Amino acid sequence: MFGQVLATEFRKLHHSKAPWATLAVLGLMPLGIALFMWIVREPGRAAELGLLGTKANLAGLEATWPEYFYMLTLIIGVGGMLLLAFIVAYLFGREYRDATAKNMLALPVARHWFALAKLAVAAAWWMALVVIVLIEALGIGLAMGLPGFSAALAGTGIANVFLAAVISFLLAPVISWIAVWSRGEVAPIAFSLVMLALGNLFGRTGWAEWFPYSIVPLLIGVVADPVDSLPAASYVVLTGTFAVGIAATLLQLRFADNAQ
Amino acid sequence: MPDTAVSTRALVKRYRDVTAVDSLDLDVRRGEIYGFLGRNGAGKTTTIRMVLGLIRPSSGDIAVLGRRIRPGETKVFSKIGFLVETATAYPNLTVRENLDIQRRLTSSPPRAVADSIGLLRLDAYADRRAGQLSLGNKQRLALARALLHSPELLVLDEPANGLDPAGIVEIRELLRSLADERGVTVFMSSHILAEIAHLADRIGIVHDGRLIEESSRDELAAKARAFATEAYTPEEREQALLTLDLERYFLARTGDRPVSGSSSTAGDA
């Protein structure tokens, strides 16, 4: 039955603009990074064109491959948490916005299959975005002729991007729970915005490895120097968050009132 | 096989201080059309939501087609078609795509989509997105979805919502034929007296969450006639007859059936 439910969940995206919108948003990011890199590399020409030369220099950026991968990981990690929240909120919350949840929940299909299928669609959607944007970013970086490229660096950079993407996804089931609990799309997105802010805050208190939403910033080095590898505690916290999120979503769908 | 399709015992639903459904004992017999009549806010939709497992009762029991409705129950829903409150569908998908989702999830054969489109006269709209349909056609789509898997029980909440007079008559006849020819049980709610009076075999009147009266249509009609004789003015009776006349004339003029008492067809009328 899971296969049928998964197929119908993909079918529900047919003609939808949401996947294209997320691709457009994330796809613009490497172009933005490239623009900053170009401004840093050509500050005189950037100033002539009235671009953000001064601010870019103040940011302490270098137009190199290591810096480029750092920025890419930052976007996939931190920006991805927000974009994934939108994706998950859309997949779960639209059923309540369009009042189709009631049609879905009184079918001869166990409700957990719907939740798991939606999370599988979110994972596929998110990974497709990450792969497309990674290919785009590599193409742009090579076209710009940034210095410092090596196979080892590319391997590490790509691995970090995927690690950030996977960590972001581990937080997705909590968003799905908020969506089914609140029966809509606004609360989960608001929740993820608050968590991003809290993640930044906790990261500075030294508890970053214990707070799920601080772990990606910890990995990337947003709040401190980037770590070479995450502490084991962080993996336990992330796995626990993933499991609790899934359990909460399934229990909410099974036992709570689910009318619009 | 139990002879009741829907049975509730001491059913209660409370929302904080509000009791939406209060000690409801209800029996819908197999093969009948049961009209669940009540004002807005009487508890009709809440009862239907509980019957479909969408919300949990505060207390009491529900059995549908012999199976107790409790969290996790799914098997019985293969035998139930339903329409709750507003007719909804995935707006970005076409009528056909919406029905195909229902077909897959109810493990119905591929031809079921075309059959239900034909049954609800949605052929002209089959490839139109649901979000672009009129309210009446959305209602038809919701009914097509409810009927797609040939259910034994239809649970319909205000099925005439959004339909024009011709559509109302058409759906009324469809439900009657499903009950008479296929033995489908219909449990339908409405606040429109005429709908229930036309269609239901038995009628339950719910008020403030309680079932305050339950009778066959004939019994209720007799009571209503006795009451109406005392309570209605001649003008009110005239108005009621005019409404019936207008309905028949409208149907004739819009091509659904010949004008009664003459040989002229709708187009000629």
Side-chain angles (χ1 to χ4, degrees):
Chain A
M1 183 44 85
F2 180 70
Q4 286 285 20
V5 178
L6 187 62
T8 61
E9 288 301 325
F10 275 111
R11 189 74 181 267
K12 288 175 188 175
L13 290 176
H14 198 208
H15 308 303
S16 169
K17 293 186 180 76
W20 300 110
T22 54
L23 181 60
V25 169
L26 204 61
L28 280 175
M29 296 303 167
L31 290 171
I33 302 171
L35 178 66
F36 269 82
M37 294 276 160
W38 182 80
I39 291 169
V40 168
R41 202 167 61 179
E42 308 274 354
R45 287 177 63 191
E48 281 172 28
L49 292 169
L51 292 171
L52 305 169
T54 310
K55 284 187 182 172
N57 284 332
L58 281 175
L61 284 177
E62 292 173 14
T64 60
W65 271 103
E67 197 77 12
Y68 189 64
F69 272 119
Y70 164 75
M71 293 289 283
L72 205 57
T73 313
L74 181 74
I75 281 165
I76 297 292
V78 179
M81 278 198 280
L82 199 56
L83 201 64
L84 246 176
F86 169 81
I87 290 171
V88 174
Y90 175 79
L91 290 171
F92 283 85
R94 68 181 299 214
E95 301 281 1
Y96 297 93
R97 188 224 315 148
D98 295 335
T100 48
K102 60 180 190 254
N103 300 347
M104 182 180 77
L105 297 175
L107 285 170
V109 176
R111 294 175 183 182
H112 60 261
W113 291 130
F114 289 108
L116 296 175
K118 283 181 188 295
L119 286 171
V121 170
W125 182 344
W126 175 230
M127 278 302 144
L129 286 179
V130 170
V131 168
I132 291 169
V133 169
L134 202 51
I135 291 167
E136 177 201 352
L138 289 173
I140 291 171
L142 291 171
M144 285 182 73
L146 293 172
F149 184 84
S150 69
L153 177 79
T156 309
I158 291 170
N160 274 341
V161 166
F162 276 110
L163 182 60
V166 170
I167 291 174
S168 296
F169 184 75
L170 291 176
L171 306 175
V174 175
I175 303 296
S176 68
W177 171 63
I178 302 281
V180 295
W181 170 76
S182 67
R183 300 174 202 164
E185 292 160 303
V186 176
I189 292 172
F191 172 82
S192 69
L193 279 170
V194 171
M195 286 302 119
L196 272 179
L198 279 180
N200 201 24
L201 194 69
F202 273 85
R204 290 170 204 282
T205 63
W207 295 348
E209 67 189 77
W210 294 101
F211 187 62
Y213 293 85
S214 296
I215 292 171
V216 168
L218 179 73
L219 172 73
I220 300 164
V222 175
V223 292
D225 289 335
V227 294
D228 291 332
S229 61
L230 288 172
S234 294
Y235 287 106
V236 172
V237 167
L238 288 168
T239 309
T241 306
F242 182 72
V244 168
I246 287 184
T249 305
L250 301 187
L251 291 172
Q252 181 79 29
L253 284 174
R254 185 172 173 129
F255 291 106
D257 288 353
N258 280 290
Q260 273 80 20
Chain B
M1 188 191 293
D3 62 354
T4 54
V6 179
S7 172
T8 72
R9 288 292 171 268
L11 190 64
V12 175
K13 181 64 182 178
R14 286 190 204 91
Y15 295 101
R16 292 202 175 99
D17 300 337
V18 178
T19 303
V21 173
D22 191 3
S23 306
L24 186 71
D25 292 333
L26 189 73
D27 286 304
V28 178
R29 297 172 193 150
R30 281 183 186 260
E32 75 174 352
I33 298 181
Y34 187 95
F36 199 39
L37 188 64
R39 292 183 175 198
N40 289 331
K44 305 186 296 293
T45 299
T46 304
T47 302
I48 282 178
R49 283 174 174 172
M50 285 191 283
V51 165
L52 293 172
L54 294 171
I55 57 177
R56 298 185 71 194
S58 302
S59 61
D61 289 315
I62 305 170
V64 176
L65 299 171
R67 290 184 77 92
R68 194 171 163 208
I69 299 295
R70 62 179 93 196
E73 170 61 42
T74 57
K75 203 171 178 180
V76 75
F77 292 114
S78 63
K79 299 173 184 172
I80 304 174
F82 63 91
L83 191 169
V84 185
E85 250 183 331
T86 49
T88 55
Y90 297 102
N92 56 307
L93 301 185
T94 65
V95 166
R96 200 188 304 278
E97 288 169 337
N98 266 290
L99 292 173
D100 193 56
I101 284 180
Q102 178 76 0
R103 179 190 74 75
R104 285 169 180 268
L105 296 176
T106 54
S107 306
S108 301
R111 68 167 195 286
V113 172
D115 288 350
S116 61
I117 285 173
L119 194 63
L120 272 298
R121 297 192 188 182
L122 281 165
D123 309 70
Y125 306 97
D127 295 312
R128 190 174 292 186
R129 291 189 194 184
Q132 297 169 344
L133 295 176
S134 67
L135 188 59
N137 281 328
K138 277 183 187 158
Q139 193 75 0
R140 285 172 186 271
L141 171 56
L143 286 164
R145 197 184 58 75
L147 292 168
L148 185 135
H149 54 296
S150 304
E152 289 177 27
L153 169 66
L154 272 173
V155 179
L156 305 175
D157 189 12
E158 309 280 0
N161 266 356
L163 294 172
D164 60 30
I168 289 173
V169 173
E170 187 188 321
I171 297 305
R172 190 189 296 159
E173 290 173 353
L174 173 64
L175 295 178
R176 187 76 260 169
S177 73
L178 286 170
D180 292 346
E181 293 162 24
R182 298 194 204 169
V184 174
T185 307
V186 181
F187 175 39
M188 60 177 281
S189 82
S190 182
H191 62 274
I192 303 172
L193 301 167
E195 261 324 290
I196 296 285
H198 271 108
L199 199 55
D201 300 316
R202 279 196 314 136
I203 296 166
I205 299 176
V206 63
H207 186 63
D208 286 342
R210 286 175 168 274
L211 193 66
I212 58 168
E213 183 153 356
E214 190 177 58
S215 344
S216 71
R217 182 177 54 179
D218 293 342
E219 287 167 0
L220 202 64
K223 286 182 198 173
R225 273 192 206 105
F227 177 80
T229 308
E230 296 165 15
Y232 282 4
T233 64
E235 289 77 18
E236 285 172 328
R237 297 186 73 82
E238 180 64 24
Q239 186 61 42
L241 285 171
L242 177 62
T243 305
L244 287 174
D245 291 344
L246 269 176
E247 179 183 288
R248 187 162 292 185
Y249 183 70
F250 173 84
L251 294 175
R253 289 291 292 170
T254 53
D256 273 49
R257 58 194 66 200
V259 175
S260 181
S262 84
S263 59
S264 60
T265 60
D268 303 326

